[in-house]
Structure formats: structure tokens, C-alpha cells
């Protein structure tokens, strides 16, 4: 059986007046040519409003990430651990090495960058390094869009809906930001989003290999967490989001029906989980070493002890797997094998931390909420440090109100065109429920509530456009599965004009932020406020008294 087969069809009312198909008019280029056009649009936006900008225009975080790649290529230790941006920095380091080997980049290491006293040479070298980094950001963003396209096509039945969902993702405010700036969020959020999509697909249709896909999904989640600790919010929501994503085909195949062969396979999975956990045990010990945590100024989140909420998250994952198995008739053998596979996949992904080992990365990954609190506002820190349930609830309600204001767009405008989809998703959920497609309605509602909840927590950091990447895909997937269920609406006379209007708004608002930065006229002086901390050996020429390199 094809593991990525299309989901089972849902009931739809008969089409009475099929005059024009809005889907055909919107996707007249076809799947492959449509994808090519989307990638071409991304490239045009990047080269028009990103690639050629002066190198310090997006100094936060371009220069921070590039500095760390340069010092690593000089054999010096990583300095930046705020997010942690581990995979972003590591990939940029390797990208610089590749370009240097191909004779396409001279300034690939710190020692290859001229001193700031020679401003012209310094600017030329940094321009080359920043532009090379921007190309990597664009390539990663384009790759994420293509992976999203491949997965969403497996989730919905109609390739035209998949293409429109890909368009929405590609030209969202999130991709607009991350396709031209070296930040940590894209490489953190997309692996977890892809894990969600993989689990939706494999959950709807069983196969012998389903536990292996569970391992892949677990590994993707850990990789995302290794790059930005905020990914823990999406990971924590994932087990609950996936509970309604089953179908009659979700029941275990004959192989997993508690036969001898199934229990033998479960035993192999258990051995793999134990072996991988043993291999990663030194990292676990480092991650919870009290001396290292105190040195990093981490404070326990619960009851004065580290590791409590991590254990609660593991228990939640196990409980949701059992609940899913009971709901969708997954056998005990497959459920246990999947649990062991999840443990093995997560452990193997943790070993990536050894590629460029630093204890600061390790303790941040194992204690993500404590790391987040080191950058939280005073109000959030006080509530997290206290034991007042009312304070926590008040903070959550305040975040929810702020998110709903943002989703209205009228009360709080933002460069986030995805909010317009929520205006259609909410009535779409009601319509699907009234038509009897209640499972689809529940699925869409789960994804939308997940996005709202994660955004409500993100408000404590201002819910900047960089953070949209964690929840925009959830909103788009919710819209896609609803549209797949309510596809008869494409024959209504208002469908095409409404879709064209939304497409236009999506592009205009999504590209507003890149255009704003391209037209920005402010200078680089603000970088001097943080350059001594984040760029200690690479002080730019416009900042006073650059220190000597050593």
C-alpha cells in the first residue's frame, strides 16, 4: 500500500449549477508549471527586495549568524546561543566552506575578513559574506515551500487545492521574512510542521512502515527544537492536534495485528530505542547538569526542579498515542513499536548536537522553557516564577485577546495575509459541521485553536513577523482540508472574484515587509548597541574603538 495515499473521500452535496470551476481558472498553469511559477515568484521577490540590500540592513540577525559561522571556520567557539540557531549557524558554516572551495567566496572565516580600519575592504568582504548567507536563506525557504507542496498534496484529494495552499505558504508573511534574512525560526518551525503533515498522512492510512514514519516525525521535531527553543510550543501542541486525524483506514494492517512477527518487530524497535538512548545519554546528563544550568542562569520552572515539564510532555505524548490507538483501532503491538520508534528517532536527532558540540546548546535544547524565560518580559517572568494560577490565566487571556485582535486585522494590522484565511475558516468549520462532515470540522478547528494558542504565547515576545512561521502553516492546512471538503463552493458565482481578491491581498500584504526594508533609509548605527556582545572580534567600522582580534 502506498504510505502517502490520498485521504478517504467525504460526503458532498450535489452540484446544481456548475457553470464555471473557479479552481480551474485559478490553477490554469497545472501542478508542475504552477510550482515553477511559485518558485520563480519567490526568486523575483528575493532578488528585487533582498539580495542586493546593503549588508547591514538586516544586521539582526544576519551579522550575528554570519559572525558565528566565521569564527567556527577559524576554529573558535560559537558565541551565539540565544535561540540557539545551532543548525542555522552550522549550515552557514558549511555553506561558506563550500563556496570557498569553489572559489566563490574569499571571506569565509574571521581571519579572511579585513580589519574594520580598512573600511572599503571590510565592507566588500562583508557584502560577499552576507549575500552568500542570503542566498542560503532563500534556498532553504524555497526547499521548505517545495516540501510543503509535496506533503499538502498528500493531505488533500485535489491537486488544485494543494497548489493554492502552496501559494498561500510561499507568499505568506513568514516566508517573505525568512527567505532573505538569516534567522533561526524557519529551520526550527518547518521540520515540526513537516512532522505534523507526515503524521496526518500516515495516520489516515496504515502500513507496515508506519512506526518508521513516526520515528522520522520525532526526529524532525527534535531538529526543530535544536534550532530554536520556541519550537517546544508547537511540539507540545502536536499530540493533541493529531488526535482527530484518523480514518477507517487507520486501523493496523494484518502484519501488526498482534502476531508473532509484529511482536518481534516491536522487540527490534525496543532494542533500537535502548541503543539510541544509550548513545545520547551523555547529552542528557549534560542537559540537566545543575552546575551548567546555574552557570547559564537558568531557573527551574516548576517546584524548584529541572526536568518536570519535560517528563510531563513525554507522558502527554504517550497518552495521546494510546488514545489515538484506541480511537482508530491501532493494535497494541504497533502502538508500542511506534512509541519505541519515536524514542529512537528523537534520540538519533539529538546526536546532531555532537557535530559542533557546545554544552550551551545542549542545556538550552533540554530546558527550552527556562531558556525562553531568560528573554521574557518582566511580567511573564514574575508569573512563571510564582505559583499564582490566576496570574497565569490572566496572562493567557491577555494573550488570546491580543491574538484575536491581530486576526481581525482591523484592530491590529500586521504584514500577515494568512489572517484573512481565518475569516473563511471559521464559517467553513460551521458549514462543514452542519453538512455532516464533522470530523473535518473538528480537524480544522484543532489546527486553528493550535495556531491561536501558540500565537497567544508568542505575544509575550511581541508576535513579530518572524514568528508567523510557527502557525501560518497550521492555518493554511486547516483551510486546505476544509476547502477539500467543501469544494462544491468553487462553482458559486462569487468564488472566483473572492479568490482573486484574496490572492491579490495575500501578495500585497505578504510582500509589504520586504519592500519596507528595501526602501528603508536609516543607518547602521543601532547595531553598535549590541555589536560588542554579539560581534566581539568583528566590530564594524561605524562603531567606535574596534578591539584587536586574537
Amino acid at each position: 500500500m502506498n504510505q502517502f495515499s490520498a485521504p478517504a473521500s467525504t460526503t458532498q452535496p450535489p452540484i446544481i449549477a456548475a457553470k464555471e470551476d473557479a479552481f480551474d481558472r485559478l490553477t490554469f498553469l497545472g501542478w508542475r508549471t504552477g510550482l515553477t511559477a511559485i518558485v520563480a515568484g519567490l526568486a523575483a521577490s528575493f532578488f528585487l527586495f533582498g539580495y542586493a540590500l546593503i549588508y547591514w540592513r538586516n544586521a539582526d540577525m544576519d551579522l550575528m549568524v554570519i559572525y558565528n559561522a566565521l569564527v567556527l571556520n577559524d576554529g573558535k567557539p560559537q558565541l551565539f546561543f540565544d535561540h540557539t540557531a545551532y543548525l542555522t549557524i552550522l549550515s552557514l558554516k558549511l555553506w561558506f566552506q563550500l563556496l570557498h572551495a569553489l572559489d566563490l567566496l574569499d571571506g569565509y572565516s574571521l581571519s579572511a575578513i579585513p580589519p574594520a580600519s580598512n573600511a572599503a575592504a571590510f565592507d566588500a568582504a562583508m557584502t560577499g559574506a552576507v549575500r552568500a548567507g542570503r542566498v542560503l536563506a532563500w534556498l532553504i525557504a524555497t526547499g521548505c515551500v517545495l516540501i510543503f507542496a509535496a506533503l499538502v498534496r498528500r493531505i488533500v484529494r485535489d491537486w488544485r487545492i494543494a497548489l493554492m495552499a502552496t501559494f498561500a505558504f510561499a507568499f505568506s508573511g513568514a516566508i517573505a521574512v525568512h527567505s532573505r534574512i538569516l534567522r533561526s525560526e524557519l529551520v526550527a518551525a518547518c521540520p515540526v510542521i513537516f512532522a505534523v503533515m507526515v503524521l496526518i498522512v500516515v495516520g489516515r492510512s496504515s502500513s507496515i512502515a508506519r512506526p518508521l514514519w513516526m520515528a522520522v516525525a520525532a526526529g524532525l521535531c527534535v531538529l526543530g527544537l535544536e534550532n530554536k527553543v520556541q519550537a517546544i510550543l508547537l511540539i507540545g501542541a502536536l499530540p493533541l492536534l493529531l488526535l482527530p486525524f484518523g480514518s477507517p483506514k487507520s486501523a493496523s494492517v494484518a502484519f501488526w495485528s498482534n502476531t508473532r512477527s509484529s511482536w518481534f518487530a516491536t522487540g527490534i524497535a525496543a532494542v533500537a530505542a535502548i541503543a539510541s538512548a544509550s548513545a545520547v545519554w551523555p547529552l542528557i546528563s549534560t542537559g540537566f547538569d545543575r552546575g551548567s544550568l546555574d552557570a547559564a542562569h537558568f531557573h527551574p520552572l516548576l517546584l524548584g526542579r529541572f526536568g518536570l515539564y519535560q517528563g510531563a510532555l513525554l507522558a502527554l505524548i504517550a497518552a495521546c498515542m494510546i488514545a489515538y490507538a484506541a480511537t482508530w483501532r491501532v493494535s497494541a503491538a504497533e502502538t508500542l513499536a511506534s512509541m519505541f520508534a519515536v524514542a529512537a528517532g528523537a534520540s538519533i536527532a539529538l546526536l546532531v548536537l555532537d557535530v559542533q558540540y557546545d554544552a550551551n546548546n545542549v542545556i538550552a535544547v533540554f530546558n527550552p522553557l527556562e531558556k525562553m524565560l531568560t528573554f521574557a518580559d518582566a511580567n511573564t517572568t514574575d508569573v512563571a516564577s510564582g505559583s499564582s494560577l490566576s496570574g497565569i490565566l490572566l496572562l493567557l487571556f491577555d494573550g488570546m485577546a491580543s491574538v484575536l485582535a491581530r486576526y481581525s486585522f482591523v484592530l491590529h494590522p500586521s504584514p500577515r495575509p494568512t489572517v484573512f484565511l481565518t475569516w473563511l475558516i471559521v464559517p467553513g468549520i460551521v458549514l462543514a459541521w452542519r453538512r455532516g462532515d464533522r470530523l473535518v470540522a473538528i480537524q480544522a478547528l484543532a489546527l486553528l485553536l493550535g495556531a491561536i494558542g501558540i500565537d497567544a504565547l508568542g505575544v509575550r515576545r511581541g508576535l513579530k513577523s518572524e514568528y508567523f512561521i510557527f502557525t501560518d502553516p497550521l492555518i493554511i492546512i486547516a483551510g486546505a482540508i476544509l476547502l477539500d471538503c467543501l469544494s462544491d463552493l468553487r462553482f458559486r458565482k462569487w468564488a472566483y472574484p473572492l479568490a482573486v481578491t484574496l490572492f491579490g491581498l495575500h501578495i500585497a500584504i505578504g510582500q509589504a515587509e520586504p519592500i519596507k526594508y528595501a526602501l528603508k533609509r536609516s543607518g547602521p548605527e543601532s547595531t553598535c548597541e549590541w555589536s560588542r556582545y554579539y560581534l566581539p572580534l568583528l566590530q564594524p567600522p561605524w562603531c567606535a574603538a574596534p578591539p584587536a582580534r586574537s
Side-chain angles (χ1 to χ4, degrees):
M1 179 183 293
N2 182 5
Q3 182 65 61
F4 288 93
S5 56
S9 61
T10 55
T11 59
Q12 296 182 14
I15 299 167
I16 298 174
K19 293 182 179 179
E20 288 186 324
D21 191 330
F23 288 2
D24 285 340
R25 299 177 68 184
L26 293 168
T27 60
F28 62 92
L29 292 176
W31 174 253
R32 292 185 180 180
T33 307
L35 279 183
T36 302
I38 289 172
V39 171
L42 285 172
S45 174
F46 170 72
F47 285 106
L48 285 173
F49 307 116
Y51 175 76
L53 295 185
I54 194 164
Y55 72 90
W56 43 257
R57 174 57 64 209
N58 300 312
D60 181 6
M61 297 177 39
D62 278 352
L63 296 189
M64 297 175 183
V65 174
I66 286 171
Y67 174 82
N68 282 271
L70 294 174
V71 298
L72 287 177
N73 278 335
D74 250 1
K76 294 181 172 65
Q78 178 183 337
L79 174 70
F80 187 90
F81 302 101
D82 288 3
H83 295 167
T84 63
Y86 172 70
L87 296 178
T88 299
I89 293 170
L90 181 60
S91 61
L92 186 63
K93 169 198 170 185
L94 299 175
W95 175 247
F96 278 0
Q97 290 177 356
L98 174 63
L99 293 180
H100 181 69
L102 297 174
D103 203 24
L104 296 175
L105 180 67
D106 293 328
Y108 81 107
S109 64
L110 185 64
S111 59
I113 303 294
S117 56
N118 186 350
F122 179 91
D123 288 347
M126 289 303 296
T127 296
V130 170
R131 288 183 175 178
R134 288 173 180 167
V135 170
L136 178 62
W138 170 66
L139 289 174
I140 292 173
T142 303
C144 288
V145 168
L146 293 175
I147 294 172
F148 181 90
L151 290 173
V152 78
R153 187 168 182 185
R154 302 296 183 179
I155 291 174
V156 298
R157 297 167 298 169
D158 193 332
W159 66 265
R160 297 171 300 177
I161 296 174
L163 187 62
M164 289 186 283
T166 303
F167 173 89
F169 180 59
F171 295 101
S172 63
I175 293 295
V177 169
H178 292 291
S179 61
R180 67 202 78 228
I181 302 177
L182 287 164
R183 292 193 61 91
S184 57
E185 290 86 0
L186 180 69
V187 181
C190 281
V192 186
I193 292 296
F194 297 154
V196 172
M197 299 175 79
V198 166
L199 292 174
I200 288 174
V201 174
V202 301
R204 284 174 163 176
S205 182
S206 63
S207 77
I208 294 176
R210 185 157 58 180
L212 293 178
W213 288 110
M214 301 284 287
V216 170
L220 289 171
C221 289
V222 171
L223 289 175
L225 184 62
E226 288 172 352
N227 208 56
K228 192 172 182 74
V229 291
Q230 277 84 345
I232 191 64
L233 303 178
L234 184 53
I235 294 170
L238 183 151
L240 297 171
L241 292 180
L242 293 169
L243 284 175
F245 284 94
S247 77
K249 294 182 179 180
S250 299
S252 296
V253 296
F255 175 85
W256 289 111
S257 299
N258 299 319
T259 61
R260 285 188 177 181
S261 56
S262 68
W263 287 110
F264 180 74
T266 301
I268 293 176
V271 171
I274 294 171
S276 55
S278 299
V280 83
W281 184 253
L283 291 175
I284 298 174
S285 299
T286 301
F288 292 107
D289 178 70
R290 191 58 188 255
S292 299
L293 291 167
D294 290 340
H297 306 291
F298 280 25
H299 302 288
L301 187 64
L302 295 173
L303 304 177
R305 297 184 62 182
F306 290 99
L308 293 182
Y309 69 84
Q310 294 91 328
L313 177 58
L314 293 178
L316 174 65
I317 293 171
C320 287
M321 291 180 72
I322 294 170
Y324 187 95
T327 303
W328 302 108
R329 296 184 299 121
V330 179
S331 69
E334 184 179 1
T335 302
L336 282 174
S338 297
M339 288 181 175
F340 290 133
V342 165
S347 298
I348 292 170
L350 283 170
L351 293 174
V352 175
L353 290 170
D354 283 329
V355 175
Q356 190 75 49
Y357 178 81
D358 194 295
N360 290 289
N361 284 323
V362 177
I363 62 173
V365 169
F366 280 95
N367 303 276
L369 294 184
E370 287 85 353
K371 183 66 175 180
M372 291 169 63
L373 286 175
T374 62
F375 296 96
D377 58 76
N379 189 25
T380 304
T381 303
D382 292 341
V383 171
S385 301
S387 57
S388 172
L389 179 60
S390 61
I392 295 174
L393 292 176
L394 184 62
L395 206 64
L396 290 175
F397 284 133
D398 179 66
M400 294 282 284
S402 181
V403 168
L404 293 177
R406 284 168 163 81
Y407 280 19
S408 74
F409 191 80
V410 177
L411 298 176
H412 196 298
S414 68
R416 188 180 192 182
T418 315
V419 298
F420 297 119
L421 293 180
T422 64
W423 298 4
L424 300 178
I425 290 172
V426 173
I429 291 172
V430 175
L431 180 58
W433 183 273
R434 294 184 63 182
R435 285 186 174 185
D437 290 303
R438 296 186 174 181
L439 181 58
V440 172
I442 293 171
Q443 291 170 350
L445 181 62
L447 292 171
L448 182 60
L449 290 178
I452 292 172
I454 294 168
D455 281 344
L457 295 172
V459 162
R460 309 319 307 174
R461 291 293 305 276
L463 196 57
K464 298 179 288 186
S465 57
E466 295 89 346
Y467 297 156
F468 297 165
I469 191 65
F470 286 102
T471 50
D472 272 359
L474 297 179
I475 296 172
I476 293 168
I477 296 168
I481 63 175
L482 273 175
L483 191 57
D484 198 36
C485 169
L486 307 173
S487 60
D488 61 289
L489 297 178
R490 70 189 188 273
F491 294 105
R492 303 297 175 91
K493 62 181 180 180
W494 46 260
Y496 181 72
L498 178 61
V500 170
T501 301
L502 286 175
F503 275 40
L505 285 172
H506 204 86
I507 293 176
I509 295 175
Q511 297 302 304
E513 201 75 357
I515 294 173
K516 183 182 79 172
Y517 272 89
L519 300 178
K520 203 172 182 180
R521 291 293 177 264
S522 60
E525 291 77 14
S526 62
T527 61
C528 300
E529 299 173 4
W530 47 260
S531 61
R532 288 188 178 277
Y533 179 78
Y534 288 109
L535 316 172
L537 302 179
L538 193 69
Q539 286 297 295
W542 57 84
C543 295
R549 296 180 191 173
S550 58

